[in-house]
């Protein structure tokens, strides 16, 4: 079966750095997405990785290792507004998005 | 960036009535649209995928006669929840992309703001 695993909840301090991990097992791989979702709102796109390595975009970076079926989202200089759920999703062989359950990130002052 | 709108943003209805939710791509042509459902504290669940001008492909366990999807144009898809019941209360989200499902050029999905449905 297809499976995406990520931690249910994480807590971090404002100004710090946090890494959210995602491991996946899917039938085929056509890229991995990270989305941010605030409570009661739709997801917003953060990053897309299809090749191994680190993609940096401002305070957010995303890493992918296809051989390990592993990705992480790195958030630097955390701000209170970063409190949200972070969803990992993999596009399978049919370009269908398989979603993880999301990681709720709580930022404390 | 690409913008997707949904209407209404929230709706409350009585059990047994039908509710129509519209999803529009405002500044691009959405060849493919997706409808998701999300229950509280759970992940997104894909309900169906639709390509413009053809019948929607429903995920296993989703009743196609209950959740009617029409993707009649490149900028509009509608989801009608027929004979809604309290268990249908959920957050319904559409997304759109401008590449055909299954094509080699995979494009990002752009999400609408979601519609919160409450069935009394």
């Amino acid at each position: 079966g297809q499976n995406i695993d990520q931690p249910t909840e994480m807590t971090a301090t404002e100004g710090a750095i946090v890494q959210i991990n995602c491991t996946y097992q899917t039938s085929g791989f056509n890229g991995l997405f990270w989305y941010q979702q605030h409570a009661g709102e739709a997801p917003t796109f953060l990053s897309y990785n299809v090749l191994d390595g680190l993609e940096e975009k401002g305070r957010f970076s995303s890493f992918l290792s296809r051989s390990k079926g592993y990705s992480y989202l790195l958030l630097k200089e955390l701000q209170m507004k970063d409190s949200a759920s972070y969803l990992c999703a993999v596009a399978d062989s049919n370009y269908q998005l398989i979603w993880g359950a999301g990681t709720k990130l709580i930022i404390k002052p | 960036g690409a913008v997707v709108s949904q209407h209404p943003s929230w709706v409350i209805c009585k059990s047994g009535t039908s509710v129509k939710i519209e999803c529009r791509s405002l500044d691009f042509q959405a060849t493919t649209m997706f409808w998701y459902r999300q229950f509280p504290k759970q992940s997104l669940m894909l309900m169906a995928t639709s390509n413009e001008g053809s019948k929607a492909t429903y995920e296993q366990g989703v009743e196609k006669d209950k959740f009617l999807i029409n993707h009649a144009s490149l900028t509009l898809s509608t989801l009608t929840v027929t004979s809604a019941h309290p268990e249908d209360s959920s957050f319904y989200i559409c997304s759109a992309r401008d590449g055909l499902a299954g094509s080699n050029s995979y494009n990002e999905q752009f999400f609408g703001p979601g519609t919160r449905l409450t069935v009394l």
Side-chain angles (χ1 to χ4, degrees):
Chain A
Q2 310 207 89
N3 195 48
I4 310 286
D5 284 318
Q6 50 182 133
T8 304
E9 187 174 298
M10 298 182 71
T11 302
T13 305
E14 189 177 15
I17 299 173
V18 70
Q19 177 175 312
I20 303 174
N21 296 324
C22 171
T23 57
Y24 63 89
Q25 290 179 310
T26 57
S27 54
F29 179 83
N30 281 299
L32 185 145
F33 294 81
W34 282 97
Y35 283 85
Q36 180 191 61
Q37 186 178 25
H38 285 101
E41 299 180 10
T44 55
F45 172 81
L46 290 178
S47 67
Y48 172 67
N49 294 66
V50 68
L51 298 176
D52 290 349
L54 185 69
E55 295 274 347
E56 297 186 72
K57 190 186 293 185
R59 294 190 298 116
F60 293 2
S61 303
S62 56
F63 170 83
L64 174 67
S65 170
R66 289 172 295 172
S67 62
K68 295 181 179 178
Y70 167 71
S71 172
Y72 67 73
L73 179 70
L74 190 71
L75 293 76
K76 302 177 183 177
E77 300 170 18
L78 287 170
Q79 302 175 9
M80 298 303 293
K81 66 178 182 180
D82 297 330
S83 293
S85 287
Y86 291 85
L87 307 176
C88 172
V90 173
D92 68 8
S93 56
N94 295 318
Y95 296 88
Q96 186 117 295
L97 282 188
I98 312 300
W99 293 87
T103 298
K104 183 179 180 181
L105 178 63
I106 300 169
I107 309 297
K108 295 186 175 180
Chain B
V3 178
V4 176
S5 70
Q6 266 183 258
H7 177 79
S9 54
W10 60 270
V11 58
I12 301 173
C13 68
K14 293 182 179 180
S15 184
T17 60
S18 293
V19 176
K20 179 186 282 189
I21 302 170
E22 292 186 349
C23 177
R24 292 180 185 273
S25 57
L26 300 184
D27 51 3
F28 69 102
Q29 293 184 327
T31 310
T32 307
M33 285 186 167
F34 305 86
W35 285 97
Y36 294 88
R37 180 167 53 181
Q38 186 175 34
F39 293 106
K41 298 185 179 180
Q42 294 187 22
S43 187
L44 294 172
M45 292 174 51
L46 180 65
M47 299 176 67
T49 302
S50 70
N51 288 318
E52 183 266 338
S54 59
K55 290 184 179 180
T57 302
Y58 289 81
E59 294 301 300
Q60 193 172 6
V62 178
E63 300 173 59
K64 62 180 180 180
D65 294 330
K66 180 173 179 63
F67 298 99
L68 303 178
I69 292 172
N70 186 300
H71 190 169
S73 79
L74 285 171
T75 59
L76 173 65
S77 175
T78 60
L79 168 67
T80 302
V81 183
T82 62
S83 186
H85 291 285
E87 57 265 30
D88 298 323
S89 298
S90 186
F91 191 45
Y92 291 86
I93 308 172
C94 75
S95 70
R97 72 179 190 204
D98 58 8
L100 284 172
S103 67
N104 289 328
S105 56
Y106 184 85
N107 293 309
E108 172 192 342
Q109 289 186 27
F110 301 96
F111 284 87
T115 297
R116 187 160 301 282
L117 170 64
T118 302
V119 184
L120 302 177

